[in-house]
Amino acid sequence: MPLMLKKPENVAGSAAPAILIGLFVSFGGILYGYDTGTIGGILAMKYWRDTFSTGFTNPKDNLPDVSGSETSLIVSILSAGTFIGALCASPMGDIVGRRWGLIWSTGLIFNFGVILQTIATRIPLFVAGRFFAGFGVGLISALIPLYQSETAPKWIRGTIVGCYQLAITIGLLLAAIVNNSTKDRYDTGSYRIPVAVQFAWAIVLIVGMLLLPETPRYLIKMGKGEEAARSLARLRRLDVDHPALVEELAEIEANHQYELSLGKASYADCFRGNLGKRLATGCALQALQQLTGVNFIFYYGTQFFKNSGLKDPFVDTLITNVVNVVSTFPGLYMVEKWGRRPLLMFGAIGMFSSQFIVAIVGTTTSSVVANKVLIAFVCVYIFFFACSWGPVAWVVTGELFPLKVRAKSLSMTTATNWLFNWAIAYATPYMVNPAPAGEKGYANLGPKVFFVWGSFCGICAVFVWSLIYETKGLSLEQVDELYAKVGHAWQSKGFVPTVSFQEVRDVGPEARHASLADMEAGAQRKRSVAPVAAEPEAGEMTTHEKY
């Protein structure tokens, strides 16, 4: 097995433009990661606690603080905004386009939320700012994988879309670094600097997106064939009349026409038949990504480590973020070498094991050595998550859906991610912390909460085996064929596509309600009576060999 990912020799043009564009669009993940990563450190800053406290005193250190219910609101309101934003990404992406959708959601909505958080000195305005910033992040988090999956070459699509998760981890790391550098300030700069730094990330993304093309698949969807050809030519570095580019564009258009021949794409259609199965798979995948407990570490890690008796929780949080970033790189390689199913299974088993070790150590012993073991296996858990479920969940959901419902379905899978993100962010203080005096409803699980996350990781392994299809090396159009022909996920390995949607289209409207297999058979019968001269000459590539 060669070490490097190389473009197949029979693929025309250059992949460099599409790769560079996909990597740049991943930069939006820094907004996502940084925005979610700042709050854990800010909540532990002394000046912020003194300024935003409404009279509650933390029994751990007898200093002013916000209560558990206020903490839940402040942390979880971001996820409530992102949930709504993700659902709104579909109409925005379909009406104004993937590119302009990213520009508007970053430039207006996200930046408005950052402004409110920066000027806030009381909880209500700070919460409002987090909601609007979350709304913008929700839009961005659905539109970026959509843009990437529609522009990337199939042989490296998984790595490119996975870079979105890498950018999220970098954003989390940057948040930890900035928080660590301002935590000892006793002025408004302690929290305003970490919040305001987000303007820089937003400006970079906006300026870059103004220079990038719209996706060719969106332009085909809108009936703009000439613009789609120019966009694809820029992505593949080919002339618009190059045979390989003409063939790829024709196959995209033929697949879209085939999908439209089956009926229009309403939200109700997303829940029916084969599309409903794919949507359920994508939503469950994103829900389980959150239920592994990773955002417990990044939302509440600083407070958790502090309550566990660790001397410098800010540094421990910084260490876990470094591990998160570094561990994502192997995943970007393995997603194309191993495939989606094996990598997700590897991650689920590894997370299950390390979570239970953390839970057992945290609940049975209390010493300096035990704390070191706890941190070590939290880092092991983060390694398994970062190289598997972190990036691959976005890769798989970006590949699942046909063009006519892609924006709608992807927005719902992303919204599911944020819904469970919100639920975990809101519930965690009640699950982990002891009840303040006079309050009820706190489970006080402490480290036992890792038993919960570990159990969900076991469910992840069963889910992968049962429902995740292997889509490595398939074009987005060929994924449709995979789901039409293969009945069970565990039978998907080794699937070889045989359908040309251009030929299926040419069978005629009388076959509109036939199955894809029947339409393919009709196309083959039609091809078998074609003149022998139309067959490819020796050495000439077929459509599927090219793409």
Side-chain angles (χ1 to χ4, degrees):
M1 179 185 293
L3 183 62
M4 300 299 293
L5 299 174
K6 294 183 180 179
K7 187 187 80 170
E9 294 181 0
N10 57 3
V11 174
S14 171
I19 292 173
L20 292 174
I21 287 172
L23 292 178
F24 175 80
V25 174
S26 298
F27 187 86
I30 290 181
L31 276 72
Y32 174 167
Y34 188 92
D35 200 38
T36 57
T38 53
I39 191 62
I42 288 174
L43 288 173
M45 292 177 181
K46 188 175 184 302
Y47 183 86
W48 188 92
R49 290 169 58 180
D50 289 344
T51 302
F52 286 84
S53 176
T54 56
F56 174 77
T57 299
N58 192 325
K60 294 286 184 180
D61 55 15
N62 296 315
L63 294 174
D65 205 346
V66 292
S67 66
S69 58
E70 290 168 336
T71 299
S72 291
L73 174 64
I74 292 166
V75 175
S76 65
I77 195 66
L78 178 90
S79 301
T82 54
F83 173 75
I84 298 172
L87 290 177
C88 293
S90 171
M92 176 174 277
D94 280 342
I95 294 171
V96 305
R98 288 47 162 151
R99 172 174 166 263
W100 278 105
L102 282 168
I103 292 171
W104 288 115
S105 57
T106 306
L108 291 181
I109 302 171
F110 177 78
N111 281 344
F112 177 65
V114 174
I115 290 171
L116 294 183
Q117 289 179 78
T118 303
I119 65 175
T121 56
R122 293 291 182 271
I123 288 176
L125 189 59
F126 195 79
V127 166
R130 282 183 59 77
F131 174 81
F132 281 104
F135 189 84
V137 169
L139 288 165
I140 294 165
S141 65
L143 290 171
I144 286 176
L146 181 61
Y147 185 98
Q148 290 175 311
S149 63
E150 290 189 348
T151 56
K154 69 178 185 181
W155 62 272
I156 199 171
R157 184 178 62 243
T159 298
I160 291 175
V161 178
C163 283
Y164 175 54
Q165 177 66 22
L166 174 63
I168 293 173
T169 66
I170 293 173
L172 288 165
L173 175 60
L174 290 172
I177 292 172
V178 175
N179 280 342
N180 195 54
S181 66
T182 65
K183 70 180 190 297
D184 295 325
R185 293 177 62 123
Y186 194 76
D187 57 25
T188 58
S190 60
Y191 70 92
R192 283 178 171 166
I193 291 173
V195 171
V197 164
Q198 295 174 100
F199 287 120
W201 319 138
I203 291 170
V204 171
L205 183 62
I206 293 167
V207 172
M209 291 306 303
L210 289 170
L211 304 176
L212 299 185
E214 183 56 86
T215 75
R217 286 177 171 87
Y218 171 76
L219 294 169
I220 286 290
K221 179 182 173 73
M222 301 305 292
K224 300 178 180 180
E226 291 185 2
E227 291 184 39
R230 289 195 295 271
S231 173
L232 191 60
R234 184 175 173 185
L235 292 168
R236 303 291 184 262
R237 199 175 286 172
L238 293 169
D239 293 333
V240 292
D241 56 355
H242 190 284
L245 187 140
V246 171
E247 183 72 22
E248 182 177 1
L249 199 65
E251 186 69 5
I252 294 171
E253 185 168 8
N255 172 261
H256 181 52
Q257 290 178 1
Y258 164 74
E259 290 292 336
L260 291 179
S261 74
L262 303 179
K264 291 186 177 181
S266 65
Y267 273 98
D269 291 322
C270 297
F271 294 90
R272 294 172 181 154
N274 186 283
L275 295 179
K277 175 183 178 180
R278 293 197 238 180
L279 180 62
T281 300
C283 290
L285 180 66
Q286 291 285 19
L288 286 170
Q289 189 209 47
Q290 289 298 312
L291 290 170
T292 62
V294 67
N295 279 321
F296 167 74
I297 301 296
F298 295 116
Y299 280 150
Y300 295 104
T302 304
Q303 288 180 309
F304 177 76
F305 294 144
K306 184 177 181 179
N307 293 339
S308 297
L310 298 173
K311 293 182 178 179
D312 198 335
F314 278 92
V315 173
D316 295 323
T317 301
L318 187 59
I319 290 171
T320 58
N321 278 283
V322 170
V323 173
N324 194 25
V325 173
V326 174
S327 301
T328 304
F329 286 97
L332 300 180
Y333 173 77
M334 292 187 291
V335 71
E336 295 297 352
K337 286 299 181 181
W338 287 11
R340 284 56 163 160
R341 273 174 63 86
L343 186 53
L344 286 171
M345 184 64 74
F346 168 77
I349 295 171
M351 289 189 295
F352 172 83
S353 304
S354 52
Q355 293 265 31
F356 270 82
I357 291 173
V358 171
I360 292 168
V361 171
T363 55
T364 58
T365 61
S366 179
S367 65
V368 174
V369 174
N371 287 339
K372 290 181 179 179
V373 171
L374 187 147
I375 288 294
F377 276 94
V378 165
C379 290
V380 171
Y381 156 71
I382 290 173
F383 163 78
F384 281 109
F385 175 86
C387 72
S388 60
W389 281 76
V392 181
W394 299 106
V395 172
V396 172
T397 53
E399 297 172 336
L400 275 176
F401 308 108
L403 181 58
K404 72 172 184 176
V405 298
R406 187 170 296 141
K408 293 182 177 68
S409 296
L410 192 55
S411 73
M412 285 188 278
T413 61
T414 306
T416 302
N417 181 292
W418 285 113
L419 177 63
F420 279 81
N421 185 301
W422 167 81
I424 291 169
Y426 186 82
T428 291
Y430 297 99
M431 294 171 64
V432 177
N433 296 336
E439 293 191 32
K440 296 181 179 180
Y442 288 76
N444 192 24
L445 292 177
K448 294 186 182 111
V449 75
F450 284 93
F451 283 121
V452 177
W453 310 138
S455 298
F456 278 113
C457 291
I459 294 173
C460 287
V462 177
F463 171 77
V464 171
W465 186 84
S466 304
L467 290 169
I468 296 297
Y469 283 65
E470 184 53 68
T471 53
K472 182 187 78 168
L474 300 178
S475 71
L476 296 180
E477 289 67 41
Q478 290 164 354
V479 172
D480 289 341
E481 183 184 351
L482 168 68
Y483 272 88
K485 289 184 174 181
V486 179
H488 302 287
W490 57 86
Q491 298 171 334
S492 62
K493 184 179 179 180
F495 169 77
V496 178
T498 58
V499 169
S500 165
F501 282 96
Q502 296 174 71
E503 294 175 346
V504 167
R505 177 190 58 191
D506 294 339
V507 171
E510 67 278 0
R512 177 171 296 179
H513 299 290
S515 68
L516 182 60
D518 291 338
M519 296 181 76
E520 180 188 11
Q524 289 174 342
R525 287 193 297 271
K526 187 173 182 179
R527 185 169 63 243
S528 67
V529 300
V532 176
E535 296 182 2
E537 298 178 0
E540 185 178 351
M541 293 179 290
T542 66
T543 298
H544 293 296
E545 290 172 333
K546 292 176 183 176
Y547 305 107

